[in-house]
Amino acid sequence: MNRKRFVDSYLKKVFRVIKNYRLVEKKDKIFVAVSGGKDSTAALFSLKKFIEETTIDCELKVFHINFDLPVWKDVEKVIKKQAELAKVETVVIHLKDFGISLEEIAKKVRRPICSCCGVIKRYLMNKIPREMGATKIATGHNMDDFIVFFFKNLLSQKFEWIAKFKPLLPSTHPKMLCKIRPLFEVSRDENEKFCKILKIPFVREDVCPYSYIKYGLDKNREKWYQTIDGIEKWNRNFKISMIRAIEKMSNYFRQPPEEIKTCLKCGEPSSQEVCGFCKILMESKEKI
Ligand code: AMP
Ligand code: ZN
């Protein structure tokens, strides 16, 4: 497929999801959570193209969390370049401004650093954009991510998580933003190809020194991706049929059963009395 045809067909797939699930609506103020990697970069540029082509009255912003590790200076540069190319305003927050140091957390908190990082990211990705008037937060989760999560949750019988495998997750708490996943029907390889053809700079996924692979939290994740890519090779429509089946199936499950509470310490949505973010902050400040 030539380059132009690839980009047209890629955008057709992304736009179809945006339209079918009403991911972008009039007067929306969408913050795109950008890590600098190929997926969230592709999400930013395809949302931007959708807004330009449809001329819908919607505001887009780039939102990035800087982890204040040495390598992040370069990541931030790439993100600023992307935002400049997309002509979108950038909001960058630094973990140190919230009194958080990943190094302290790695030393003191009694759980894997990648899982702490996930809690921190999800918390700030909801709180900061919401406080700045966002109506939705967009992420770069792609079709391969959801297919792999699906198999893993199925095998561990965490059926209720399947309820979340949708292009749009509505808010379930007054302080919880609606989440959108415009790349629900495109793969990670397609996202990379899209960025490369359009010559958009992006960062490698494993820049973080605490990355999953090194710390073995999810060593087999890559094997899972290779397995579904392998099936796709002899069954051309495997991934798209699978993701559509997963989306339909998600309607048969209820979201995780815990009622969404309000954290006693910070007032943010939480599944427990005190949210994961506040717990990590407390643990990382405890004296050893
Ligand atoms: P991950 O949890 O690393 O798989 O990332 C999931 C999604 O979270 C990505 O597709 C991005 O949209 C978003 N994201 C990851 N890291 C950051 C970051 N440092 N700042 C803002 N958004 C991020
Ligand atoms: Zn809290």
Side-chain angles (χ1 to χ4, degrees):
M1 206 188 284
N2 73 28
R3 291 162 171 245
K4 175 159 183 345
R5 268 186 52 206
F6 172 83
V7 171
D8 289 348
S9 117
Y10 175 92
L11 287 175
K12 205 167 147 195
K13 292 187 216 178
V14 180
F15 289 4
R16 188 173 55 217
V17 168
I18 298 178
K19 283 183 194 148
N20 283 355
Y21 295 90
R22 295 172 184 272
L23 303 192
V24 177
E25 292 165 305
K26 246 193 200 162
K27 303 275 176 228
D28 259 340
K29 188 166 172 180
I30 301 176
F31 278 53
V32 189
V34 168
S35 63
K38 60 188 183 337
D39 300 308
S40 46
T41 304
L44 168 67
F45 282 81
S46 36
L47 280 167
K48 173 72 184 176
K49 284 196 183 291
F50 179 83
I51 292 167
E52 273 173 2
E53 281 192 21
T54 55
T55 67
I56 187 166
D57 173 20
C58 161
E59 203 183 320
L60 211 57
K61 275 197 202 304
V62 164
F63 176 70
H64 177 65
I65 306 168
N66 185 317
F67 283 79
D68 293 311
L69 298 168
V71 64
W72 242 268
K73 278 206 183 83
D74 297 331
V75 176
E76 195 175 318
K77 265 192 219 146
V78 172
I79 282 160
K80 294 228 162 111
K81 182 80 203 152
Q82 292 176 347
E84 198 184 301
L85 283 172
K87 300 191 181 68
V88 173
E89 215 180 283
T90 323
V91 175
V92 177
I93 59 164
H94 285 254
L95 284 193
K96 65 172 176 337
D97 296 338
F98 295 84
I100 302 168
S101 146
L102 276 194
E103 271 104 359
E104 287 294 296
I105 287 173
K107 267 189 250 148
K108 295 192 187 161
V109 177
R110 290 172 289 273
R111 55 172 144 155
I113 185 150
C114 297
S115 106
C116 296
C117 178
V119 171
I120 295 168
K121 261 194 307 205
R122 282 193 294 278
Y123 180 91
L124 294 172
M125 266 162 58
N126 180 63
K127 179 178 161 69
I128 307 302
R130 188 197 73 235
E131 287 175 348
M132 297 182 77
T135 54
K136 289 173 180 150
I137 179 95
T139 57
H141 291 105
N142 60 55
M143 166 164 85
D144 301 339
D145 294 332
F146 287 109
I147 296 175
V148 170
F149 292 156
F150 172 78
F151 280 119
K152 288 172 145 275
N153 284 311
L154 196 65
L155 297 181
S156 56
Q157 302 193 12
K158 289 188 188 137
F159 304 120
E160 66 278 8
W161 288 99
I162 297 169
K164 291 187 177 239
F165 297 170
K166 296 175 158 305
L168 182 143
L169 266 192
S171 162
T172 49
H173 182 282
K175 286 191 169 178
M176 174 112 50
L177 279 179
C178 167
K179 298 181 184 70
I180 58 169
R181 289 97 173 234
L183 308 184
F184 196 77
E185 292 194 358
V186 282
S187 69
R188 52 187 200 152
D189 288 349
E190 287 175 296
N191 295 336
E192 183 167 348
K193 199 165 166 188
F194 174 74
C195 294
K196 284 187 170 161
I197 292 179
L198 296 187
K199 298 196 165 48
I200 309 161
F202 60 89
V203 291
R204 284 192 351 253
E205 241 113 70
D206 55 354
V207 289
C208 178
Y210 298 110
S211 80
Y212 281 102
I213 295 124
K214 262 191 199 158
Y215 282 75
L217 189 68
D218 201 353
K219 274 196 228 112
N220 294 328
R221 184 123 154 220
E222 194 50 43
K223 287 190 197 144
W224 274 102
Y225 287 117
Q226 286 164 9
T227 305
I228 62 168
D229 284 341
I231 303 177
E232 181 75 20
K233 284 203 179 101
W234 56 265
N235 180 350
R236 270 282 146 220
N237 287 320
F238 166 70
K239 291 208 271 188
I240 192 69
S241 313
M242 190 72 208
I243 197 68
R244 290 191 177 154
I246 291 172
E247 197 282 326
K248 289 223 165 63
M249 218 184 296
S250 69
N251 295 318
Y252 292 93
F253 296 96
R254 275 212 231 121
Q255 288 225 7
E258 327 93 46
E259 147 214 5
I260 305 284
K261 301 185 180 112
T262 299
C263 172
L264 291 176
K265 280 191 122 5
C266 70
E268 290 295 305
S270 167
S271 57
Q272 288 165 348
E273 302 290 304
V274 174
C275 76
F277 179 85
C278 288
K279 279 186 193 153
I280 290 172
L281 269 192
M282 287 186 298
E283 278 183 42
S284 71
K285 289 187 174 129
E286 271 169 19
K287 295 208 170 64
I288 326 179

